[in-house]
Amino acid sequence: VNTVYAITWYAGQLAFKLWFRWHVYNVERVPLTGPVILASNHASFADPILIGCAVTSRPLFFMAKEELFRVPVFGFVIRLVNALPIRRGGVNRRALEEFAGLTRDGSRALLVFPEGTRTTDGSLGPAKRGVGALCRAARVPIIPTLILGTYELWPRWRLFPRWRGRIEVRFGAPVQWSDDELNASGDPSGALATLIMKRISDLHATDEPPLGFREGYRAILRRPTAGAGGPADEARDGRSTYVESR
């Protein structure tokens, strides 16, 4: 973990506990090692850092528009906190190869926003088809992630954030899908993108108690050991993420 990311993570943990009613659900669903994609709704500029601070087990990388890296100072800072540039203009073979390399070959935990932009009214929007194509190319576990409260905290039309409110980050079980089902839809990438957004939306209905900072660490320490056949092993090796076509 780079030093700037570590400092930001600890400072974020402290600040969010002091100023916000910040809660995290089921962080143990994020694999400890190996490549993984966290797919989240997008409501605010604050989403990447809040989700990053919620993941207690490993550093999180996130995608940002390539042009942001050319902004003086800002581009330098976001690179230090694990932002990775992504080109705009559609998903082509080169983009698919780059994305697969960032996740599978780089063994990173990568945060993506399937909606492609921040919400204008606080509701969930449709997923971009390209996100489905990228996730199909990567073929790694996909963890649906729902963040609540950041639209009220810092919507896109507000210049500065508010300093009070309740923030929740909820992690779901890995998205399960099969090539046969996706291909039967006639648009496999679009079908996977829609499925991912549905799994994110489903997290609204969770009734499990939220985990705080200490509880999250305890949940991680209580994970099944390798080979025990528990959920952590399934998420780590991808068995619960998709079913290969026969």
Side-chain angles (χ1 to χ4, degrees):
V1 180
N2 72 62
T3 303
V4 174
Y5 185 93
I7 292 172
T8 303
W9 190 89
Y10 283 110
Q13 284 278 348
L14 178 61
F16 301 148
K17 283 294 185 181
L18 289 176
W19 282 301
F20 307 110
R21 299 190 303 278
W22 187 52
H23 298 285
V24 178
Y25 289 72
N26 300 318
V27 67
E28 72 277 6
R29 287 173 170 166
V30 179
L32 288 171
T33 60
V36 63
I37 293 171
L38 276 62
S40 173
N41 62 307
H42 198 12
S44 168
F45 271 131
D47 294 341
I49 188 171
L50 281 158
I51 297 173
C53 287
V55 177
T56 54
S57 57
R58 61 189 299 183
L60 187 65
F61 293 79
F62 66 96
M63 312 299 292
K65 295 180 292 186
E66 187 179 41
E67 52 265 35
L68 292 178
F69 290 81
R70 296 194 290 268
V71 178
V73 181
F74 182 75
F76 176 74
V77 171
I78 62 174
R79 194 180 295 275
L80 289 177
V81 292
N82 291 352
L84 300 170
I86 185 171
R87 295 181 179 88
R88 306 193 79 175
V91 176
N92 51 36
R93 181 176 296 275
R94 181 179 178 184
L96 293 174
E97 291 174 352
E98 287 181 354
F99 187 84
L102 289 173
T103 51
R104 185 179 60 241
D105 301 333
S107 293
R108 292 184 173 101
L110 186 63
L111 173 64
V112 300
F113 298 107
E115 296 158 291
T117 188
R118 289 165 292 155
T119 179
T120 58
D121 59 5
S123 63
L124 270 62
K128 300 293 186 183
R129 179 182 179 278
V131 171
L134 295 172
C135 290
R136 289 178 65 225
R139 303 191 79 83
V140 302
I142 305 168
I143 305 297
T145 305
L146 177 70
I147 186 164
L148 299 171
T150 55
Y151 176 77
E152 293 75 15
L153 169 72
W154 196 2
R156 61 188 304 163
W157 47 264
R158 188 179 177 89
L159 186 59
F160 298 106
R162 297 183 176 93
W163 293 103
R164 294 291 176 185
R166 179 183 176 88
I167 305 295
E168 293 185 9
V169 182
R170 303 179 179 185
F171 299 102
V175 177
Q176 298 187 39
W177 53 276
S178 73
D179 287 328
D180 288 339
E181 292 175 350
L182 296 182
N183 291 332
S185 71
D187 180 11
S189 295
L192 180 56
T194 299
L195 176 61
I196 291 170
M197 282 308 301
K198 183 179 186 306
R199 293 294 175 261
I200 294 172
S201 179
D202 289 346
L203 294 174
H204 278 108
T206 184
D207 57 1
E208 298 182 41
L211 292 179
F213 177 74
R214 293 181 180 176
E215 291 81 2
Y217 267 120
R218 291 180 185 138
I220 290 171
L221 293 175
R222 289 198 298 268
R223 287 183 173 189
T225 57
D233 294 300
E234 293 181 358
R236 190 174 297 116
D237 64 20
R239 280 178 289 155
S240 64
T241 304
Y242 63 86
V243 180
E244 294 284 3
S245 298
R246 299 293 183 185

